[in-house]
Amino acid sequence: MNKLQLIVCLSFLSLTCLVSENVFSQNSNAAKKSFISKEQIGQVEGHDVFQYTLQNKTGMQVQLITYGAAITNIVTPDKNGKMSSVVLGFDSLSQYAGNDNSLMGSTVGRVANRISNKKFTLDGQEYRLSSDIHGGVNGFDKRVWEGKEISKKNEPAVEMTYLSKDGEEGFPGNLLVVVTFTLKNNNDLVIDYKATTDKATPLVLTNHTYFNLSGGQDSKALNTELTVLADQFLEYGDGSMPTGKILDVKGTPFDFTSAKTIGKDIEKVQQYTHGYDVTFALRNQTGKLALAAKAYEPVSGRELEVYTTEPGVVFYSGNWLTEKVKGRNGVAYTKNGAFCLETQHYPNSINTPAFPNTVVGPQETFTSQTIYKFIVRK
């Protein structure tokens, strides 16, 4: 058990808590209706942690917990109508709050990804951080958020709120973050980010869900066909830290401008990251919502489209997943067993003037939107 001093309710392992395959109907003919439910699943450092279950009118379901504002499960149909989970997850709160949680499904911040040398200078003042990655030792993924059910045109939604106080993990300003998850009836999962601050601060928010679109039919994601709408990527060195250079993907293993399997060229990118852990500079740099990537899994027929207002997307091929970590239903995870498509501003932007701005000021409101659209190819 880690220093978070977990108190986990036994009810967390009941059928109404984090999903076993039996929670969701496997019968595509079952009656379906839109709903949202809420249940307390335990405590972390004296703070109650809740789980929300969202279902739309097609029967698709999404589960979220207030620890880390994390997506813990997404259940969608395959080409035969069978409902099964398409994301990795755990069976217990203690695993989500443990040291080996791999940021499973979490909302990541205050600054997702990397900041070189654990420091930056803003308005003439140097700030030193607790870590160079993912918002610090205790970033947003390790905080208990406030959850609230909201209704959007008969489409279930949950609003998660967290106040990051001035000085937390070394960052300046009291930052109020609101992340809203909406499950639409067309099988879109919409994530809206909003934040305000009383002092200028860098801000990079993303979600770290691991996708395996086979629904358990393939323990690896290497046969998933990926397309990324980007002609350039950020050069990186050891530890995936960007060098500041933006390179063309043409003629490199990072060329996903047309669909190819994740596994096709993965052996060519092992030097620093044991697989893909790369930021793509998307073609869309307008700040308006646009398609960023598509992933198609041929066994299940499922396709995932990712839309975002962000200028970049990080493609991570699950390089550090390990059999030592047991996931949902006690199934061991494996290297490259899932992939992430993390929409965000570029890593280390605060220390790289040529990259898009990530500083939010006290008179500004940060907004961003990402959509995960689930489709089935027959």
Side-chain angles (χ1 to χ4, degrees):
M1 194 69 66
N2 68 7
K3 64 181 181 181
L4 293 175
Q5 301 174 343
L6 300 172
I7 306 174
V8 182
C9 289
L10 293 176
S11 65
F12 188 62
L13 296 178
S14 72
L15 289 178
T16 55
C17 290
L18 281 181
V19 176
S20 72
E21 286 290 325
N22 294 326
V23 174
F24 297 118
S25 172
Q26 304 299 309
N27 182 357
S28 62
N29 296 318
K32 298 164 186 172
K33 62 180 180 178
S34 173
F35 73 82
I36 183 170
S37 64
K38 175 184 177 181
E39 181 176 9
Q40 183 182 349
I41 57 172
Q43 291 186 330
V44 175
E45 291 190 331
H47 298 282
D48 291 341
V49 176
F50 295 91
Q51 175 187 261
Y52 293 87
T53 300
L54 288 64
Q55 178 174 297
N56 67 11
K57 291 181 179 179
T58 73
M60 176 179 165
Q61 292 200 0
V62 173
Q63 287 192 308
L64 309 155
I65 58 174
T66 54
Y67 182 80
I71 297 171
T72 58
N73 210 9
I74 300 175
V75 174
T76 69
D78 67 7
K79 61 186 177 183
N80 298 312
K82 181 180 178 181
M83 305 293 288
S84 52
S85 176
V86 295
V87 301
L88 303 192
F90 296 121
D91 282 328
S92 69
L93 178 57
S94 60
Q95 288 176 285
Y96 279 100
N99 293 324
D100 297 321
N101 70 356
S102 302
L103 298 171
M104 196 69 68
S106 297
T107 297
V108 187
R110 176 178 303 195
V111 174
N113 219 302
R114 290 153 177 82
I115 293 180
S116 59
N117 300 313
K118 298 191 294 186
K119 64 181 181 179
F120 63 90
T121 299
L122 183 59
D123 295 334
Q125 182 174 344
E126 182 179 270
Y127 295 90
R128 292 187 173 271
L129 309 175
S130 63
S131 172
D132 66 352
I133 189 170
H134 294 324
V137 174
N138 291 301
F140 290 178
D141 61 297
K142 296 180 179 65
R143 305 287 178 169
V144 178
W145 295 56
E146 292 291 329
K148 182 174 72 173
E149 303 172 32
I150 56 177
S151 178
K152 290 187 173 183
K153 298 179 181 178
N154 296 316
E155 293 171 325
V158 174
E159 182 181 275
M160 301 271 194
T161 304
Y162 178 68
L163 176 61
S164 177
K165 295 184 178 180
D166 186 24
E168 185 176 284
E169 303 303 307
F171 290 99
N174 293 295
L175 180 76
L176 181 64
V177 182
V178 181
V179 184
T180 304
F181 302 85
T182 305
L183 178 57
K184 300 181 73 65
N185 288 318
N186 63 354
N187 287 2
D188 286 2
L189 176 58
V190 182
I191 307 176
D192 288 295
Y193 301 90
K194 182 179 179 180
T196 55
T197 180
D198 61 4
K199 188 185 296 184
T201 184
L203 179 68
V204 180
L205 299 173
T206 194
N207 180 271
H208 207 281
T209 293
Y210 290 79
F211 296 97
N212 183 320
L213 301 177
S214 75
Q217 297 182 74
D218 191 340
S219 63
K220 301 281 189 179
L222 297 175
N223 291 322
T224 297
E225 299 170 10
L226 180 66
T227 306
V228 182
L229 281 75
D231 302 307
Q232 296 180 306
F233 72 100
L234 275 58
E235 182 185 58
Y236 58 86
D238 199 9
S240 295
M241 186 66 71
T243 66
K245 295 180 180 179
I246 300 179
L247 306 179
D248 291 338
V249 301
K250 188 176 181 179
T252 76
F254 304 103
D255 188 351
F256 286 90
T257 53
S258 58
K260 71 175 180 182
T261 63
I262 291 172
K264 182 178 180 180
D265 293 325
I266 199 169
E267 296 299 325
K268 300 177 183 178
V269 294
Q270 300 285 350
Q271 181 179 3
Y272 297 118
T273 58
H274 301 275
Y276 289 103
D277 191 359
V278 58
T279 303
F280 288 100
L282 295 171
R283 293 171 189 159
N284 175 45
Q285 297 284 313
T286 67
K288 297 180 180 180
L289 189 70
L291 180 66
K294 297 189 292 185
Y296 171 65
E297 207 290 315
V299 173
S300 69
R302 292 184 179 93
E303 184 169 33
L304 170 65
E305 293 183 347
V306 181
Y307 296 78
T308 188
T309 58
E310 293 292 288
V313 62
V314 174
F315 167 46
Y316 173 57
S317 55
N319 313 321
W320 300 105
L321 293 172
T322 171
E323 289 83 354
K324 295 179 181 179
V325 178
K326 299 295 190 296
R328 191 178 296 114
N329 299 320
V331 176
Y333 288 141
T334 62
K335 180 181 179 181
N336 308 132
F339 63 92
C340 301
L341 291 169
E342 307 159 51
T343 57
Q344 59 185 260
H345 269 61
Y346 303 163
N348 202 34
S349 288
I350 188 64
N351 292 319
T352 313
F355 285 178
N357 174 57
T358 58
V359 175
V360 179
Q363 305 302 319
E364 301 174 279
T365 298
F366 170 86
T367 60
S368 175
Q369 185 178 75
T370 292
I371 298 176
Y372 293 121
K373 178 186 286 290
F374 296 90
I375 303 167
V376 177
R377 292 191 198 175
K378 297 295 185 180

